[in-house]
Amino acid sequence: MNFRWEWEVFLRDTGGGRTYLEWLMSAWGWTLSVAACAWVVALVFGSVIGTIRTTPSPWLVRIGNAWVELFRNIPLLVQLFLWYHVIPAMIPVMKDLPSFVLVVLALGFFTSARVAEQVRAGIQSLSQGQRNAGLAMGLTLPQTYFHVLLPMAFRIVVPPLTSEAMNIIKNSSVAFAVSVAELTMFAMQAQEETSRGIEVYLAVTSLYMITAMTINRIMAFVEVRVRVPGMIGGGH
Amino acid sequence: MGNLDLSFFTWDLVSKFLVKGFVFSVELTLVAMAGGILLGTLLALMRLSSFKWLSYPAAIYVNTMRSIPLVMVILWFFLLIPFLTGRPLGAEWSAVITFTAFEAAYYSEIMRAGIQSVARGQVSAGFALGLTYGQNMRMIVLPQAFRNMLPVLLTQTIILFQDTSLVYAIGAYDLLKGFETAGKNFNRPVEAFLLAAIVYFVICYSLSSVVKKLQLKIAIIR
């Protein structure tokens, strides 16, 4: 076996007026933007669904549970194909949406089920007394949620949300299946065009790891800043 | 809406396109589960070892696998196995090796938590009785660890079953590919993917209900 590194491959022209390095960087940008936009979708829907699962209304709880079961029990890639092939066929307005938006929706909704689980667990970890105290003070149920329960719950769920944020970076790799030019798509195409798979894959893999590590650091910073004094690990 | 046509969905189609893919998905899940739990247990024992030359490599392996997207791991193995052995390997076999190696990292974290959930006194009692490390692990610690972690191991297996759909990246013929091929052949991709989602949902939802019941059962006995 005689293998020689050929890192120069990244300086080669892709035939489209840019080098593979430039393409790699733009692919990294796509990965970051898919993950970031999906994260926003996941946080918004996950928070709402997670919260309504802890309300006293059985109907809201049922809707929340159904949401979580639906998005947890279908593989992400199949969900992506649903958004890409099935939903536009049923809702014609969605026909003109670019793949990017569909991937963001698919990944965001998929992750929202996981976020909802964490938010629900966070709210339920608070003592029942907090809710009762809020209601006894004369706050309405929504007020109790906004001023008493949610501010605590959201600070408690930061650590589990960190791992979800890192997962969303990894999961954004399924976007290759609908031809969004993100890192995995770049890896597959550049490997095919240059036959320097090892160099290409190493570069892509390192970028994924760097991204995950950066998110981990950012979330650790957030965690310290929002720590609840007096709670476990919260200092004093 | 309203123009879904499921008439193409016949027994002929099921036997021609879907059975083969379904069988492969299940085989891949079962083999990767068995191999992954076996390798994962070994990795967990290595990580908990007091020898650094055992615990470090295991930690590096597990953390690396867990920080790379599965699709990239699938692509890596598909590239590296023929490169190292010198002859091409089919996408299906490549998938089996990849999933076993990849899932081992996740199962090892579960087994590690399981081993650590066994009370220290049990280990000490085993040693006090004169059992060797191997005997202690095999007869005292691992059976309890395994039992404590059974629901989590099974939940991971459901995730593994869902993840098998990612062999799409190397073109292996699994359940999803079966639906896709059927959809292409009958020019009915919308219905095919909708059915695929329903089938995956039914399988995963029923399995996770079973795991939930099992969890309650185990909790009562303990």
Side-chain angles (χ1 to χ4, degrees), chain A residues 1 3 69-70 72-73 75 77-78 81-82 85-86 89 170 173-174 176 184 188 197-198 201-202 205 209, chain B residues 1 66-69 71 75-76 79 83 106 162 165-166 168-169 176 190 193 197 200-201 204-205 208 212:
Chain A
M1 203 167 64
F3 177 76
E69 293 300 340
L70 178 67
R72 265 214 315 204
N73 284 310
L77 187 58
V78 178
F81 286 151
L82 279 184
H85 294 284
V86 179
K170 289 193 280 172
S173 61
V174 298
F176 81 88
T184 303
M188 294 169 100
I198 294 183
Y201 286 6
L202 267 179
T205 306
M209 291 173 103
Chain B
M1 184 85 203
R66 279 160 42 98
S67 58
I68 308 175
V71 184
L75 292 176
W76 264 117
L79 178 81
F83 179 76
Y106 284 80
Q162 293 194 11
S165 60
L166 293 175
Y168 184 85
L176 177 59
V190 176
F193 284 120
Y200 272 105
F201 179 82
C204 296
Y205 183 74
S208 51
K212 249 180 224 154

Side-chain angles (χ1 to χ4, degrees), chain A residues 194-216:
Chain A
T194 63
S195 306
R196 302 307 304 177
I198 294 183
E199 287 88 343
V200 168
Y201 286 6
L202 267 179
V204 167
T205 306
S206 329
L207 285 182
Y208 272 120
M209 291 173 103
I210 290 170
T211 313
M213 222 124 67
T214 313
I215 289 184
N216 186 292

Side-chain angles (χ1 to χ4, degrees), chain B residues 205-216:
Chain B
Y205 183 74
S206 358
L207 287 177
S208 51
S209 315
V210 172
V211 173
K212 249 180 224 154
K213 284 217 181 83
L214 184 84
Q215 206 162 9
L216 289 178

Side-chain angles (χ1 to χ4, degrees), chain B residues 24 75 77 86-87 100 103 106 131 135 147 152 183 203 205 212-213 215 222:
Chain B
F24 175 70
L75 292 176
F77 274 74
R87 45 162 197 251
T100 307
E103 293 298 329
Y106 284 80
L131 298 183
Q135 287 172 327
R147 184 174 161 181
V152 192
I203 294 174
Y205 183 74
K212 249 180 224 154
K213 284 217 181 83
Q215 206 162 9
R222 238 202 270 145

